[in-house]
């Protein structure tokens, strides 16, 4: 059918029409009904074909999206595997560096066996012992002196209290220049 022809309408026949219409009128109406059915079938076929093609297009788009998604997933999995491998390498390198920083017992023994280092350590040990002895002597000397805030040092080398005179018993002091003139040289 062309676009210029009017679309056929649905033909409805009642029982009374079937009894009263002539054979030619019934054939005309039957032909109208057939044209209407053919147009409906053509529209249905168009819709089906459009649906099928639309579904095929949708299916193709979905397949492309799935392929793209799986490609992206593969790329991300590869990146993840690469990052995990780099992390493992970094962990191995960190462990190696930790081991290198801590000298082993064999390395320490070999450094002590070296005569120059051993001599150096022995000298340091002797100097340390001498310094400890001097420190102990200095502490012993200081412990002999006990300082009190009102009297000064007590203990070894102190003057008994009876001997100490007050400031009023002492003669007046001269300036340093006068004292220097009094000294017989």
């Amino acid at each position: 059918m062309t676009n210029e022809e009017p679309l056929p309408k649905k033909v409805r026949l009642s029982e009374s029409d079937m009894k009263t219409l002539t054979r030619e009128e019934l054939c005309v109406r039957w032909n109208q009904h057939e044209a209407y059915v053919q147009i409906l079938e053509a529209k249905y076929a168009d819709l089906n074909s459009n649906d099928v093609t639309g579904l095929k297009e949708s299916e193709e788009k979905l397949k492309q999206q799935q392929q793209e998604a799986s490609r992206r997933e593969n790329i991300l999995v590869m990146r993840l595997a690469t990052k995990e491998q780099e992390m493992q390498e970094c962990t191995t390198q960190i462990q190696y560096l930790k081991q290198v920083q801590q000298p082993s017992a064999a390395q320490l023994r070999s450094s002590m066996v070296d005569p120059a280092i051993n001599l150096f350590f022995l000298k340091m040990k002797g100097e340390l012992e001498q310094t400890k002895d001097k420190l102990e002597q200095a502490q012993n000397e200081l412990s002999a002196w006990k300082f009190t805030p009102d009297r000064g040092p007590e203990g070894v080398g102190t003057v008994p209290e009876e001997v100490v005179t007050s400031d009023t018993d002492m003669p007046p002091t001269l300036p340093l220049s006068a004292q220097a003139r009094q000294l017989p040289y």
Side-chain angles (χ1 to χ4, degrees):
M1 300 199 107
T2 62
N3 290 339
E4 292 141 11
E5 293 181 16
L7 292 175
K9 295 183 180 178
K10 184 175 182 179
V11 178
R12 294 188 187 251
L13 294 174
S14 63
E15 268 189 52
S16 61
D17 289 339
M18 294 288 269
K19 290 179 183 176
T20 58
L21 290 177
T22 64
R23 187 170 186 199
E24 286 99 25
E25 290 175 338
L26 276 175
C27 285
V28 169
R29 292 220 177 157
W30 178 261
N31 288 336
Q32 288 174 349
H33 183 69
E34 276 297 313
Y36 178 72
V37 168
Q38 285 178 358
I39 287 176
L40 288 178
E41 286 176 350
K43 284 184 180 181
Y44 179 72
D46 268 355
L47 288 175
N48 270 346
S49 67
N50 285 343
D51 285 347
V52 169
T53 56
L55 288 175
K56 286 182 181 180
E57 289 174 2
S58 305
E59 185 179 356
E60 287 177 22
K61 286 180 183 178
L62 182 62
K63 283 182 183 179
Q64 288 175 352
Q65 288 174 349
Q66 286 175 343
Q67 288 174 349
E68 181 69 22
S70 64
R71 186 180 68 81
R72 285 181 183 169
E73 182 182 2
N74 289 338
I75 289 171
L76 292 174
V77 167
M78 288 173 53
R79 283 183 182 172
L80 179 64
T82 304
K83 294 291 182 184
E84 286 177 352
Q85 184 178 4
E86 288 175 1
M87 272 183 28
Q88 186 66 30
E89 289 173 0
C90 288
T91 304
T92 305
Q93 190 174 14
I94 288 170
Q95 289 174 350
Y96 172 74
L97 290 173
K98 283 182 179 178
Q99 288 175 353
V100 169
Q101 280 183 340
Q102 296 174 349
S104 66
Q107 288 174 334
L108 288 175
R109 281 191 210 117
S110 68
S111 66
M112 292 299 287
V113 171
D114 186 7
I117 294 176
N118 192 21
L119 181 63
F120 181 70
F121 278 126
L122 289 175
K123 282 185 179 181
M124 283 185 1
K125 186 177 179 182
E127 288 176 5
L128 181 63
E129 287 175 2
Q130 287 176 2
T131 307
K132 283 182 180 179
D133 290 340
K134 287 180 182 178
L135 176 65
E136 188 177 327
Q137 285 177 357
Q139 286 177 343
N140 287 340
E141 286 178 11
L142 281 176
S143 67
W145 290 83
K146 294 184 183 174
F147 291 96
T148 58
D150 56 344
R151 294 196 194 163
E154 287 185 359
V156 179
T158 60
V159 180
E161 197 172 315
E162 308 86 44
V163 178
V164 177
T165 59
S166 67
D167 290 338
T168 55
D169 295 341
M170 294 187 62
T173 58
L174 298 173
L176 285 178
S177 60
Q179 287 178 358
R181 281 188 224 135
Q182 289 180 351
L183 293 174
Y185 287 118

